[in-house]
Amino acid sequence: MPALLASLALAAAPCIGALCQPDAVATLPLTRAALPQGRPYHILQVGDSHTAGDGITGALRDLLQARLGNGGRGLMPAGRPHAGVRTRGVSTAMSGAWRSTGLFGRGAADAFPPRGLTGYSLVTSTPGASLSLTADPGQAFTAFGVCVQTSSDGPKLAVTLGDERQELDFTAETAGTDCRRLPLAAPAATARIELLSGQAIVSGWWLERAEGVILSSLGVPGSQLQFLSRADDGVVKAQLAALPPDLVILAFGTNEGFAPNVDAAALESAIREQVARLRGLLGAVPILMIGPPDAASRNTALSGNAPGPATDCNPAIRFSPRRAAVDGFDIPLWNDAGGDLAPDPVAIVGDSPRAVRRGEPLFVPPGLALVSQVQRRVAADLGIGFWDWRARQGGPCSAIRWMQDGLMGPDFIHYSPAGGAEVARRLLDDIELARAVTGAGYSAGRAAARP
């Protein structure tokens, strides 16, 4: 009977606030008693620069781990393959000749090197080339994992975890992806991989602890959901098997909404294809899709990139006594010209509200609304969750207020650390609200997809 009541409650309220199909997050534990026994609960988020910057996902990770325990930093791209990829909780270093290829950007359409969900692979044939990480204080790990491409010529790697050193041989008759989990006798705060011989293709590494929550944030700046099709099936399968997720979050939409011409049919096809792919590999693991946030542009070429009006945001600009000096911004900020990343690291200074030029084009590209509409509709059809980030932020032109309050950057797209923390708080608040409204359904939960 409780399960029947829960189903009726969810059917009667497909959207609770900004969260639609809230049953998708029914397995997310909000108390330590609800955690799985003997292992961490793993949230896997794949997305664009909002995910790659780890400001929002990092803040959500902090909130959940403070409440439920630190299960580890989770799956990450190895090293730092792109300036827009940030890793809260660890610092990384690379030495020697490494070549990076992602799912978006130069070489993205090439089949080699194979890439997986981390979005990047690093390649080297230089003996002695190394990748290393150091966990922040309090972030020591009890297991380390690494995914490496096998071949008949190796590679052979030396892996040093804390004071423990071992050599790993990835020689195999056929090429494939081998993700190896290495438990430690004692917690360690450092990890180092060094090539001894052969060619190393490293598609990711991860950190674990015995229990708590893991939130793996895997983002590629500039990426769209369709580019996830470039990820190699073998690499994706190996990564998911090595660190299986309990909840998958797909966080795309900004770059789709800023495309010169938004193709609703292509977006729907990409959503259906990737959801089917994940379900084929993971079974009944729940999926939550996060829509694009509000954003604004001065590029008039985007004013007609989708049906509907381009909302003028000039009326939303608040008075500022003076123009704030901009020294930079501590997120992967895109420059207006050229689409390049700003210098790294960076920060913004000045009084609030920050000044915004009036009278010039400043509008919400209509493509953002179209993307959100398609995602909401297809998510309902597929039975996956959908969080309307744009609505939760305040709707069209709310990016102007967020920027003036120091929560977003001067590009009206990316977020400051304070802004990222506010987005994470609102998402978690909406999940908790849905749990309260649906009551028995969430207390009863759903059958876990992972034993």
Side-chain angles (χ1 to χ4, degrees), residues 360-386:
E360 299 181 10
L362 183 61
F363 59 91
V364 179
L368 286 174
L370 179 58
V371 167
S372 186
Q373 291 165 10
V374 172
Q375 289 178 327
R376 177 190 290 266
R377 175 177 56 79
V378 178
D381 187 46
L382 295 177
I384 66 174
F386 175 74

Side-chain angles (χ1 to χ4, degrees), residues 169-191:
D169 189 348
F170 289 89
T171 302
E173 291 184 3
T174 58
T177 301
D178 187 352
C179 293
R180 298 193 189 180
R181 182 179 182 275
L182 307 174
L184 283 80
T190 60

Side-chain angles (χ1 to χ4, degrees), residues 123-199:
V123 182
T124 187
S125 298
T126 306
S130 67
L131 305 170
S132 61
L133 66 81
T134 301
D136 291 351
Q139 300 293 319
F141 49 92
T142 57
F144 172 84
V146 61
C147 295
V148 178
Q149 197 75 0
T150 62
S151 78
S152 58
D153 296 324
K156 295 181 180 179
L157 303 175
V159 179
T160 304
L161 306 175
D163 296 328
E164 302 178 26
R165 183 184 185 277
Q166 55 188 301
E167 295 186 4
L168 303 181
D169 189 348
F170 289 89
T171 302
E173 291 184 3
T174 58
T177 301
D178 187 352
C179 293
R180 298 193 189 180
R181 182 179 182 275
L182 307 174
L184 283 80
T190 60
R192 184 174 185 271
I193 297 173
E194 179 184 349
L195 178 64
L196 300 177
S197 64
Q199 181 185 62

